Amino acid sequence: MEKILTIDIGTTACKVIVFDLEGNILAKANREYPTYTPQIEWAEQDPLDWWNEAVEGIKEVAQAAGADGIVAIGLSSQRETVVPIDREGNVLSRAISWMDRRSRLEAEEISRQFGKDTIHKITGLIPDSTFTATKLLWLKKHQPEILQKAHVFLQPKEFIGYMLTGEAATDHSLASRTMMFDINKRQWWEDIFEFVGVKTSQFPRLCYADEIIGYLKEDVAKILGLKSRIPVVSGGGDRPLEALGAGIVGSRVMESTGTATNVSMSSNKVPENLDPRVVCSCHVIRDHYLIEQGITTSGTILRWIRDNFYRGEKEKGKNVYELIDNEAESSSPGANGVVLLPFFMGSRATRWNPDAKGVLFGLTLTHSRADVARAVLEGISYEIRACIEILESMGLRAESIVSMGGGAKSRVWSRIKADILGKKVVVEKVQEAASKGAMLLASYAIGARESLIEEKREVLFEYQPDSKNHEIYNRVYEIYNQLYNSVSSLYPKLSQY
């Protein structure tokens, strides 16, 4: 049996999976590594942690599924996180994570230098400390010796590819998350390189996500217990791979909720009227783009509710998320007048307000934690609706929502989403979508698959909107937006305390 091995370097763990060519999972390993926070707002990872856990994960799945028959390796990873490597392949410092906020001032400096509109037009991104360029400018100011010693700057899956093959290569999907890439010309934006203090020669060569970047080195193969010369396929960033694995094409919208929420659509061109509140980066599908919006806190709010409102049940060993679902379902649409603004760590899409805070509005002595639980599910869903409305204002046709991630496990939440959005919400039987996307690219690259898009998809359940509930939610959605507008001017004042 021919098999595909995939390696996904996520924010919290390395996921290694062996698939058959039909996309069935034969073996899986999930190995966590730490995020280091030496100062407030700093977030760093050790690339050797990524590699060590990848090595152990590969050994584990190779033993479980058998090393024979592995015909390709596909890669996936978190985006924007950057690690400098010297000419001998040594790691020069910990990788600065996408979560790291130390380069806020550098983001503002880049915005002043080039103009927010120009940056958005060229790179498709909004100046923010998330993106690689701001981190490099921070290094230029605070650790210039690293920029001077660096032979190449790599993002996580590029580092793993380098360790496997000795080749430094990036694909368009990760290059376009640096804020240093012209998404229209599909080449490096040289002006910003000079400003942040690095050269284009210090970045890996560009390739497509479905290209073979190199072959498994003999010495590494021995360590892993695999055959040497297995082709390693570039793969890409986790979000576009997730979209590929979930079949997000045409009028389908991906809503993926885990710790945070991502709302995405694919397009075969950069929209002419690209809204300044959305980000647009290159897809892993050739000549396609992914239009994205991110809600910073969604699943994390559910965890906060669990830990603060359901602590006793958690200590008793109950399935707290199931209890939250049941209680939320017992409340009525509109949560009996309780409205949540889900901005517990500022707002990215659609508000782009780092000072934004969470708000629970409308509480009375008659309300219960069930109303609060429902208000949380509804509040996040209102912001998903705001994201989709922006997509539609750009001329994109959003007909159905494919719900993914941990949030998709809740049938109650899926019904609420359908009623608030006024659109069909579908949950499919697709496991490990980002890794599956990497598998699709790898099998396509070696000629084992004719198309990247799967025609047949297995649906677990779907919900059509209830017209009566949708009318109720339309009215509450207006209040939701009015509430944000009413309190937004107060947020900076709160930031002083």
Side-chain angles (χ1 to χ4, degrees):
M1 178 192 296
E2 292 187 330
K3 309 161 191 172
I4 305 290
L5 185 146
T6 64
I7 306 166
D8 176 35
I9 304 298
T11 301
T12 59
C14 170
K15 195 174 293 178
V16 184
I17 299 178
V18 175
F19 292 90
D20 65 20
L21 294 184
E22 299 301 315
N24 300 305
I25 294 176
L26 304 178
K28 177 168 63 174
N30 192 72
R31 303 186 63 89
E32 295 185 356
Y33 34 71
T35 295
Y36 303 94
T37 54
Q39 295 188 39
I40 295 173
E41 293 198 326
W42 288 31
E44 301 175 343
Q45 292 186 334
D46 187 338
L48 295 180
D49 288 340
W50 303 336
W51 175 242
N52 291 335
E53 298 308 333
V55 169
E56 294 306 314
I58 292 168
K59 290 179 180 178
E60 184 179 336
V61 298
Q63 183 175 6
D68 292 339
I70 294 176
V71 293
I73 298 173
L75 304 177
S76 166
S77 78
Q78 54 178 294
R79 304 174 292 177
E80 300 100 24
T81 298
V82 61
V83 55
I85 306 294
D86 70 12
R87 193 171 294 275
E88 285 72 42
N90 300 307
V91 174
L92 293 173
S93 71
R94 285 176 181 166
I96 303 178
S97 169
W98 65 269
M99 296 184 292
D100 191 288
R101 308 301 288 172
R102 78 182 73 174
S103 57
R104 285 190 187 191
L105 294 178
E106 285 70 27
E108 294 173 4
E109 187 176 343
I110 291 173
S111 184
R112 288 193 301 270
Q113 175 68 20
F114 296 99
K116 184 177 179 180
D117 291 342
T118 298
I119 293 169
H120 192 248
K121 183 178 180 180
I122 292 174
T123 70
L125 304 178
I126 295 166
D128 187 82
S129 59
T130 302
F131 303 116
T132 311
T134 69
K135 306 177 191 308
L136 296 178
L137 184 55
W138 186 92
L139 288 173
K140 178 184 178 182
K141 292 179 179 180
H142 301 279
Q143 297 177 1
E145 69 281 2
I146 289 180
L147 294 191
Q148 294 167 5
K149 293 179 182 177
H151 174 61
V152 65
F153 293 94
L154 300 175
Q155 295 188 57
K157 67 95 178 172
E158 299 162 3
F159 178 77
I160 297 299
Y162 177 78
M163 297 294 283
L164 292 171
T165 68
E167 299 290 335
T170 186
D171 78 298
H172 295 158
S173 77
L174 279 190
S176 62
R177 301 294 293 193
T178 60
M179 211 167 73
M180 304 172 76
F181 190 76
D182 188 323
I183 59 171
N184 295 284
K185 297 179 180 179
R186 293 212 172 217
Q187 63 186 34
W188 297 116
W189 179 26
E190 295 194 7
D191 290 352
I192 199 168
F193 274 79
E194 182 178 354
F195 185 72
V196 302
V198 297
K199 302 174 182 178
T200 56
S201 60
Q202 290 176 286
F203 271 54
R205 66 180 173 88
L206 281 168
C207 64
Y208 286 102
D210 60 11
E211 283 187 38
I212 296 172
I213 62 167
Y215 297 85
L216 186 62
K217 295 188 297 181
E218 187 172 351
D219 59 334
V220 177
K222 288 180 180 178
I223 294 171
L224 301 176
L226 302 178
K227 293 180 180 178
S228 63
R229 303 294 297 170
I230 295 175
V232 178
V233 179
S234 172
D238 50 7
R239 287 304 186 189
L241 282 172
E242 193 174 40
L244 174 61
I248 303 301
V249 293
S251 60
R252 288 160 62 93
V253 179
M254 179 175 75
E255 174 270 309
S256 179
T257 294
T259 301
T261 292
N262 179 276
V263 179
S264 308
M265 286 190 78
S266 65
S267 173
N268 60 4
K269 63 179 181 179
V270 177
E272 293 180 5
N273 57 335
L274 187 64
D275 191 285
R277 293 168 292 180
V278 308
V279 297
C280 177
S281 49
C282 297
H283 208 315
V284 291
I285 303 173
R286 293 194 183 209
D287 303 319
H288 279 66
Y289 297 86
L290 198 68
I291 318 299
E292 297 182 72
Q293 297 176 84
I295 302 170
T296 308
T297 47
S298 51
T300 46
I301 303 178
L302 274 181
R303 189 187 309 149
W304 178 81
I305 287 287
R306 179 199 69 184
D307 294 344
N308 289 281
F309 286 67
Y310 292 82
R311 185 176 300 169
E313 285 78 0
K314 180 183 176 184
E315 292 171 353
K316 294 174 185 176
K318 293 184 179 180
N319 185 330
V320 180
Y321 288 117
E322 184 177 326
L323 179 59
I324 291 172
D325 268 7
N326 292 337
E327 291 195 357
E329 190 172 27
S330 72
S331 180
S332 61
N336 291 315
V338 179
V339 179
L340 174 90
L341 297 184
F343 309 126
F344 283 41
M345 289 185 65
S347 170
R348 295 182 68 193
T350 62
R351 324 286 171 170
W352 289 99
N353 183 352
D355 294 323
K357 303 288 188 297
V359 174
L360 264 174
F361 176 73
L363 288 170
T364 71
L365 293 175
T366 62
H367 286 112
S368 67
R369 72 179 184 182
D371 298 317
V372 174
R374 188 175 187 101
V376 169
L377 302 183
E378 291 178 348
I380 297 164
S381 302
Y382 291 135
E383 198 62 13
I384 293 171
R385 173 169 169 172
C387 292
I388 292 173
E389 287 180 349
I390 289 178
L391 294 174
E392 292 180 325
S393 73
M394 293 162 47
L396 297 172
R397 191 162 52 97
E399 290 188 349
S400 62
I401 314 301
V402 179
S403 188
M404 300 177 60
K409 296 176 182 178
S410 168
R411 292 185 175 231
V412 176
W413 202 355
S414 293
R415 284 197 296 269
I416 288 172
K417 289 171 188 172
D419 290 345
I420 286 177
L421 302 176
K423 300 178 186 296
K424 179 174 69 174
V425 170
V426 179
V427 177
E428 297 181 345
K429 188 181 179 181
V430 53
Q431 298 182 56
E432 311 295 358
S435 295
K436 185 171 184 181
M439 181 277 296
L440 292 170
L441 287 170
S443 58
Y444 182 77
I446 62 171
R449 179 178 298 274
E450 295 183 358
S451 173
L452 288 173
I453 308 301
E454 295 182 310
E455 297 297 329
K456 295 181 180 180
R457 310 196 63 85
E458 188 175 350
V459 175
L460 287 180
F461 55 90
E462 66 179 49
Y463 290 101
Q464 296 286 350
D466 179 282
S467 58
K468 183 178 178 181
N469 290 345
H470 184 55
E471 289 180 9
I472 294 171
Y473 283 130
N474 282 342
R475 295 193 292 271
V476 183
Y477 181 59
E478 289 184 17
I479 296 171
Y480 172 85
N481 285 310
Q482 290 171 7
L483 176 60
Y484 174 80
N485 293 333
S486 297
V487 302
S488 59
S489 63
L490 299 176
Y491 287 141
K493 298 178 182 179
L494 284 175
S495 298
Q496 301 172 13
Y497 301 97

